[in-house]
Amino acid sequence: MSLTLAKYDNFLLKNVSTISSLESSLRSITWFLPGRFKDADLVSEALSALLNIISLYHDTLLTRIMKNDPQWRPILPTPLHSKYTRAWSDKDALYKWVARALELARYTQLLVEMVMRRKLSARARWRGIVLMETVKAILRFILLRITHRPLLSPPIPERDIDPASLPLSSIHSSPTLAPTTPSSSRPSTPDHFKNNRVPLQPSALMLAPPPGRADTSVEDYLLPKALTTTSVRPSLQLVKPLRSFQDWAAEIIYILRPLIYVAVLTKGKHKDRALMTAFALELLSRNLRRASPPSSAVERDEYARRDRDLVWYLLRGSVWDSYTRPKIESIAENIATKPVIGALSMIIKDWIPLIDEYYYYTAL
């Protein structure tokens, strides 16, 4: 098994740019599969889940390569989200595996629901959804117990490595095999660096100020490139710990909100009761949570993402049935005869029944 994994790793490293492009292309295809043939939605979601799981392994492999190669330097600064989540993954092994398990649950939850809908009764399917939400809530509480900080989504580092920037030394070695011995000879000087004693004559374009702009001072040029306090802050301090009872209550309510929503949805016949309960919990959590300081960019971005997720309530319950769906169907009908964008109408019509049938297409 280890030999097969090593061969796959070597194949990945030698074709990392091609595989990355293939992942993006296949992921785009999944948006057009629903409605094309029988069980196309199941095939589309299975392909999407498989791509996400493979991408998770690829990200882990690429990160391991970068850590083992002292010559590699990132072209762009590491995003603060990746810096924070990677620091926790390196510090605490339990955090790393729980965060990965939570992401795997998120990748496969819709696929599991589709299988349950085809194999089980409606009552058993909703029990399975409640069980999945219970497992996800437990995993989130474990992460909260480890970090004592607001949870980020996703809790693992996102891909921040350009495959084209991989050094050649990494491409010809696999992290699952013994590392190769570095060459003792010094690299040769590139030809365009050999004759560097002839001064470069400034051109008129270099001396003239940009058109339409006044002469820019050195301070104005350097100020956007200066390091901020967030850039030099220790990784684990990018998000401050929860301190007050109000902070803890806000985060606990936010974690329990999806589970309570599903539980109320399965008990009652009225979707509005579950929707209003979840929305009330959402607003309560939002009002209880602390105000992020200007220096905490990671926490502010997470809260901004949570605020944007309020739009998903337009795709649930009676709001979706009486308002959003008629609007979307009207738009699809109006653009159906338009050139070029008419194809978008067919995709919209194929996706509307999926929102009606499956919970995890618009899950909290």
Side-chain angles (χ1 to χ4, degrees):
M1 183 65 182
S2 59
L3 182 60
T4 303
L5 189 60
K7 290 182 179 180
Y8 176 77
D9 291 348
N10 281 324
F11 172 78
L12 169 65
L13 297 179
K14 293 177 182 179
N15 304 273
V16 61
S17 298
T18 304
I19 292 177
S20 180
S21 301
L22 182 61
E23 288 177 2
S24 301
S25 301
L26 291 176
R27 191 169 282 109
S28 300
I29 292 175
T30 59
W31 288 91
F32 300 94
L33 283 180
R36 305 281 81 81
F37 51 88
K38 182 180 180 181
D39 291 335
D41 54 342
L42 181 62
V43 175
S44 173
E45 191 56 34
L47 178 59
S48 178
L50 180 62
L51 288 174
N52 287 330
I53 295 173
I54 293 177
S55 297
L56 179 61
Y57 174 74
H58 290 174
D59 293 346
T60 304
L61 178 63
L62 294 176
T63 302
R64 195 187 313 160
I65 295 172
M66 297 303 101
K67 289 182 179 179
N68 295 334
D69 195 327
Q71 298 180 354
W72 182 80
R73 295 292 183 273
I75 298 177
L76 298 175
T78 304
L80 296 178
H81 175 276
S82 298
K83 184 179 178 182
Y84 172 77
T85 52
R86 184 171 290 120
W88 273 111
S89 298
D90 295 339
K91 177 184 178 181
D92 195 297
L94 181 60
Y95 176 94
K96 177 176 65 176
W97 290 109
V98 171
R100 289 178 180 177
L102 183 59
E103 283 301 284
L104 287 176
R106 188 174 66 87
Y107 293 157
T108 58
Q109 59 188 11
L110 180 55
L111 178 62
V112 172
E113 183 188 1
M114 289 182 173
V115 174
M116 289 191 300
R117 188 177 185 276
R118 286 165 170 79
K119 300 295 183 181
L120 304 176
S121 63
R123 185 180 183 88
R125 177 169 68 97
W126 280 108
R127 287 179 178 176
I129 294 174
V130 172
L131 178 60
M132 284 191 289
E133 290 299 329
T134 302
V135 172
K136 288 164 58 179
I138 293 174
L139 294 176
R140 290 190 175 105
F141 275 122
I142 295 175
L143 296 180
L144 183 64
R145 177 66 179 84
I146 294 173
T147 62
H148 289 202
R149 290 166 171 82
L151 300 184
L152 302 186
S153 182
I156 60 175
E158 298 177 305
R159 180 176 296 184
D160 56 349
I161 300 172
D162 183 8
S165 67
L166 285 173
L168 294 177
S169 60
S170 298
I171 296 178
H172 295 292
S173 63
S174 172
T176 56
L177 301 177
T180 57
T181 305
S183 175
S184 59
S185 59
R186 299 180 61 183
S188 59
T189 305
D191 294 337
H192 59 283
F193 281 150
K194 290 181 178 179
N195 185 14
N196 57 359
R197 298 186 180 181
V198 179
L200 177 65
Q201 298 297 329
S203 64
L205 293 177
M206 297 173 61
L207 298 176
R213 292 179 55 188
D215 188 15
T216 305
S217 64
V218 177
E219 291 80 4
D220 294 338
Y221 174 77
L222 294 178
L223 186 59
K225 305 178 183 300
L227 291 175
T228 62
T229 56
T230 305
S231 303
V232 297
R233 183 177 300 170
S235 301
L236 297 180
Q237 299 301 322
L238 291 174
V239 179
K240 294 184 178 180
L242 301 172
R243 300 192 181 280
S244 66
F245 173 80
Q246 183 173 322
D247 296 342
W248 282 94
E251 199 64 21
I252 291 173
I253 292 174
Y254 184 80
I255 293 175
L256 291 176
R257 170 188 46 92
L259 179 58
I260 296 176
Y261 174 67
V262 174
V264 177
L265 196 62
T266 56
K267 294 295 182 181
K269 297 182 179 180
H270 302 286
K271 296 181 180 180
D272 292 344
R273 183 180 303 172
L275 185 66
M276 295 303 297
T277 301
F279 190 70
L281 292 174
E282 188 93 47
L283 295 181
L284 179 61
S285 174
R286 190 179 187 277
N287 291 329
L288 289 178
R289 75 189 185 198
R290 64 191 180 191
S292 302
S295 59
S296 183
V298 178
E299 188 173 344
R300 286 189 292 108
D301 291 343
E302 171 62 21
Y303 288 158
R305 183 198 62 80
R306 295 182 184 183
D307 292 341
R308 291 193 299 270
D309 285 348
L310 292 174
V311 178
W312 288 101
Y313 281 93
L314 295 175
L315 304 180
R316 303 180 183 121
S318 61
V319 178
W320 163 253
D321 295 333
S322 61
Y323 177 78
T324 311
R325 183 172 59 184
K327 295 290 185 182
I328 295 178
E329 290 175 344
S330 175
I331 294 175
E333 291 293 337
N334 291 334
I335 66 175
T337 57
K338 305 292 183 182
V340 182
I341 63 174
L344 183 61
S345 172
M346 181 176 58
I347 297 175
I348 293 175
K349 293 179 179 179
D350 291 334
W351 277 86
I352 288 177
L354 300 180
I355 298 177
D356 292 330
E357 295 175 1
Y358 296 107
Y359 165 77
Y360 278 114
Y361 265 114
T362 59
L364 297 178

